[in-house]
Amino acid sequence: QGTIGLEILNQLENVDVVVVPIGGGGLISGVAFAIKQMNPRVRVYGVQAQGAPSMLNAVQDDQIETLGKVQTIADGIAVKTPGNNTFELVKQYVDGIVTVSDDEIALAILTLLEQQKLIAEGAGAVPVAAVMAGKIPDIEGKNVCCLLSGGNIDVTILSRVIDNAGNHTGAAADAQHRIRFDEFIHSMPPPFLRERPLSGEFLCIVQ
């Protein structure tokens, strides 16, 4: 996971903020650790679904807890209990954690589909959702990298997002003026995986 953090710094020398999805905490732990070792000035924020805030609760209460239930369209990060090791790394290296609602996630999925022709699953879209909703602090005029961690979206969820697009018209206009998609960089796997398909992770620069 840490190699993604190294890719971000190698390819995006002017990055100020990196926003990463959180489920059990493996992805953000590796990314944040690598980034903070190489360039501590870069801020790293995590994003969870409001219906599955296990890591946020653990950090706030300074102890690992298990949620009674999780409910979110971002099924890839619907985790009841964060990992022991990842919990410690998140506490040490992550600058903050925010949550987004299912409506905000759906709007991010729709925006990526309409503006970038990119299909992102709910878990992958939460960083963009957090930026669009204005939940990441002090990013005006900054170079923000959103890590889109996958496109394995269930067709029924995607259909529901598209069908409900009309409900987001006002919210979309309000949220989309805050951001400008600058570029997308496909994350490369390590050399020993180069013969396999790419990992599916994109680095999305939002300004």
PDB file of all heavy atoms in Angstrom, residues 10 36 38 54 91 101 109 115 120 145-147 152 198:
ATOM      1  N   ASN A  10       6.226  10.993  -6.228  1.00  0.00           N
ATOM      2  CA  ASN A  10       7.104  10.978  -7.394  1.00  0.00           C
ATOM      3  C   ASN A  10       6.473  11.660  -8.603  1.00  0.00           C
ATOM      4  O   ASN A  10       7.158  12.323  -9.389  1.00  0.00           O
ATOM      5  CB  ASN A  10       7.470   9.537  -7.760  1.00  0.00           C
ATOM      6  CG  ASN A  10       8.441   8.921  -6.773  1.00  0.00           C
ATOM      7  OD1 ASN A  10       9.164   9.625  -6.081  1.00  0.00           O
ATOM      8  ND2 ASN A  10       8.452   7.595  -6.687  1.00  0.00           N
ATOM      9  N   LYS A  36       4.487  10.627   4.902  1.00  0.00           N
ATOM     10  CA  LYS A  36       5.029  11.368   6.034  1.00  0.00           C
ATOM     11  C   LYS A  36       6.531  11.143   6.197  1.00  0.00           C
ATOM     12  O   LYS A  36       7.237  12.027   6.703  1.00  0.00           O
ATOM     13  CB  LYS A  36       4.296  10.990   7.319  1.00  0.00           C
ATOM     14  CG  LYS A  36       2.833  11.428   7.355  1.00  0.00           C
ATOM     15  CD  LYS A  36       2.690  12.942   7.297  1.00  0.00           C
ATOM     16  CE  LYS A  36       1.234  13.368   7.468  1.00  0.00           C
ATOM     17  NZ  LYS A  36       1.076  14.838   7.468  1.00  0.00           N
ATOM     18  N   MET A  38       8.591  10.749   3.639  1.00  0.00           N
ATOM     19  CA  MET A  38       9.246  11.448   2.529  1.00  0.00           C
ATOM     20  C   MET A  38       9.012  12.955   2.550  1.00  0.00           C
ATOM     21  O   MET A  38       9.904  13.729   2.216  1.00  0.00           O
ATOM     22  CB  MET A  38       8.746  10.869   1.198  1.00  0.00           C
ATOM     23  CG  MET A  38       9.015   9.372   1.032  1.00  0.00           C
ATOM     24  SD  MET A  38      10.762   8.969   0.979  1.00  0.00           S
ATOM     25  CE  MET A  38      11.205   9.727  -0.584  1.00  0.00           C
ATOM     26  N   SER A  54     -16.019   3.141  11.721  1.00  0.00           N
ATOM     27  CA  SER A  54     -15.304   2.379  12.745  1.00  0.00           C
ATOM     28  C   SER A  54     -13.959   2.987  13.116  1.00  0.00           C
ATOM     29  O   SER A  54     -13.619   3.081  14.302  1.00  0.00           O
ATOM     30  CB  SER A  54     -15.121   0.928  12.287  1.00  0.00           C
ATOM     31  OG  SER A  54     -14.466   0.870  11.026  1.00  0.00           O
ATOM     32  N   LYS A  91      -3.470   6.685  13.830  1.00  0.00           N
ATOM     33  CA  LYS A  91      -3.336   7.666  14.918  1.00  0.00           C
ATOM     34  C   LYS A  91      -2.060   8.496  14.764  1.00  0.00           C
ATOM     35  O   LYS A  91      -2.049   9.695  15.034  1.00  0.00           O
ATOM     36  CB  LYS A  91      -3.314   6.961  16.278  1.00  0.00           C
ATOM     37  CG  LYS A  91      -4.648   6.497  16.788  1.00  0.00           C
ATOM     38  CD  LYS A  91      -4.617   6.262  18.290  1.00  0.00           C
ATOM     39  CE  LYS A  91      -3.540   5.274  18.691  1.00  0.00           C
ATOM     40  NZ  LYS A  91      -3.515   5.086  20.173  1.00  0.00           N
ATOM     41  N   SER A 101     -22.010  11.109   3.686  1.00  0.00           N
ATOM     42  CA  SER A 101     -23.287  10.394   3.617  1.00  0.00           C
ATOM     43  C   SER A 101     -23.397   9.619   2.310  1.00  0.00           C
ATOM     44  O   SER A 101     -22.640   9.856   1.359  1.00  0.00           O
ATOM     45  CB  SER A 101     -24.439  11.390   3.723  1.00  0.00           C
ATOM     46  OG  SER A 101     -24.494  12.204   2.555  1.00  0.00           O
ATOM     47  N   ILE A 109     -19.987   9.761  -7.247  1.00  0.00           N
ATOM     48  CA  ILE A 109     -20.002   8.736  -8.304  1.00  0.00           C
ATOM     49  C   ILE A 109     -20.558   9.318  -9.597  1.00  0.00           C
ATOM     50  O   ILE A 109     -19.999   9.138 -10.682  1.00  0.00           O
ATOM     51  CB  ILE A 109     -20.846   7.518  -7.860  1.00  0.00           C
ATOM     52  CG1 ILE A 109     -20.177   6.794  -6.694  1.00  0.00           C
ATOM     53  CG2 ILE A 109     -21.054   6.547  -9.034  1.00  0.00           C
ATOM     54  CD1 ILE A 109     -21.041   5.704  -6.069  1.00  0.00           C
ATOM     55  N   GLN A 115     -18.502  13.854 -15.653  1.00  0.00           N
ATOM     56  CA  GLN A 115     -17.438  14.786 -16.033  1.00  0.00           C
ATOM     57  C   GLN A 115     -16.178  14.085 -16.534  1.00  0.00           C
ATOM     58  O   GLN A 115     -15.454  14.641 -17.354  1.00  0.00           O
ATOM     59  CB  GLN A 115     -17.080  15.684 -14.847  1.00  0.00           C
ATOM     60  CG  GLN A 115     -18.190  16.630 -14.446  1.00  0.00           C
ATOM     61  CD  GLN A 115     -17.707  17.691 -13.471  1.00  0.00           C
ATOM     62  OE1 GLN A 115     -16.514  17.881 -13.271  1.00  0.00           O
ATOM     63  NE2 GLN A 115     -18.631  18.385 -12.861  1.00  0.00           N
ATOM     64  N   ALA A 120     -16.531   4.784 -10.691  1.00  0.00           N
ATOM     65  CA  ALA A 120     -15.912   4.529  -9.391  1.00  0.00           C
ATOM     66  C   ALA A 120     -16.927   3.857  -8.479  1.00  0.00           C
ATOM     67  O   ALA A 120     -18.104   4.216  -8.481  1.00  0.00           O
ATOM     68  CB  ALA A 120     -15.431   5.831  -8.762  1.00  0.00           C
ATOM     69  N   CYS A 145      -4.959  15.608  -3.895  1.00  0.00           N
ATOM     70  CA  CYS A 145      -4.971  14.315  -4.574  1.00  0.00           C
ATOM     71  C   CYS A 145      -5.988  13.400  -3.911  1.00  0.00           C
ATOM     72  O   CYS A 145      -5.879  13.093  -2.725  1.00  0.00           O
ATOM     73  CB  CYS A 145      -3.577  13.684  -4.515  1.00  0.00           C
ATOM     74  SG  CYS A 145      -3.519  12.004  -5.175  1.00  0.00           S
ATOM     75  N   CYS A 146      -6.990  12.984  -4.656  1.00  0.00           N
ATOM     76  CA  CYS A 146      -7.975  12.023  -4.173  1.00  0.00           C
ATOM     77  C   CYS A 146      -7.620  10.642  -4.713  1.00  0.00           C
ATOM     78  O   CYS A 146      -7.509  10.467  -5.926  1.00  0.00           O
ATOM     79  CB  CYS A 146      -9.382  12.405  -4.629  1.00  0.00           C
ATOM     80  SG  CYS A 146     -10.011  13.924  -3.913  1.00  0.00           S
ATOM     81  N   LEU A 147      -7.466   9.690  -3.837  1.00  0.00           N
ATOM     82  CA  LEU A 147      -7.140   8.330  -4.251  1.00  0.00           C
ATOM     83  C   LEU A 147      -8.432   7.560  -4.514  1.00  0.00           C
ATOM     84  O   LEU A 147      -9.198   7.294  -3.589  1.00  0.00           O
ATOM     85  CB  LEU A 147      -6.301   7.646  -3.174  1.00  0.00           C
ATOM     86  CG  LEU A 147      -5.847   6.224  -3.445  1.00  0.00           C
ATOM     87  CD1 LEU A 147      -5.118   6.127  -4.775  1.00  0.00           C
ATOM     88  CD2 LEU A 147      -4.949   5.739  -2.318  1.00  0.00           C
ATOM     89  N   ASN A 152     -15.250  -1.314  -8.878  1.00  0.00           N
ATOM     90  CA  ASN A 152     -16.058  -2.536  -8.841  1.00  0.00           C
ATOM     91  C   ASN A 152     -17.422  -2.243  -8.218  1.00  0.00           C
ATOM     92  O   ASN A 152     -17.764  -2.729  -7.142  1.00  0.00           O
ATOM     93  CB  ASN A 152     -15.319  -3.612  -8.034  1.00  0.00           C
ATOM     94  CG  ASN A 152     -16.023  -4.953  -8.091  1.00  0.00           C
ATOM     95  OD1 ASN A 152     -16.735  -5.259  -9.033  1.00  0.00           O
ATOM     96  ND2 ASN A 152     -15.840  -5.752  -7.043  1.00  0.00           N
ATOM     97  N   LEU A 198      -3.583  -3.736 -14.421  1.00  0.00           N
ATOM     98  CA  LEU A 198      -3.288  -2.649 -13.498  1.00  0.00           C
ATOM     99  C   LEU A 198      -4.201  -2.714 -12.288  1.00  0.00           C
ATOM    100  O   LEU A 198      -5.281  -3.298 -12.307  1.00  0.00           O
ATOM    101  CB  LEU A 198      -3.442  -1.305 -14.223  1.00  0.00           C
ATOM    102  CG  LEU A 198      -2.428  -1.047 -15.340  1.00  0.00           C
ATOM    103  CD1 LEU A 198      -2.754   0.275 -16.023  1.00  0.00           C
ATOM    104  CD2 LEU A 198      -1.009  -1.013 -14.795  1.00  0.00           C
TER     105      LEU A 198
END
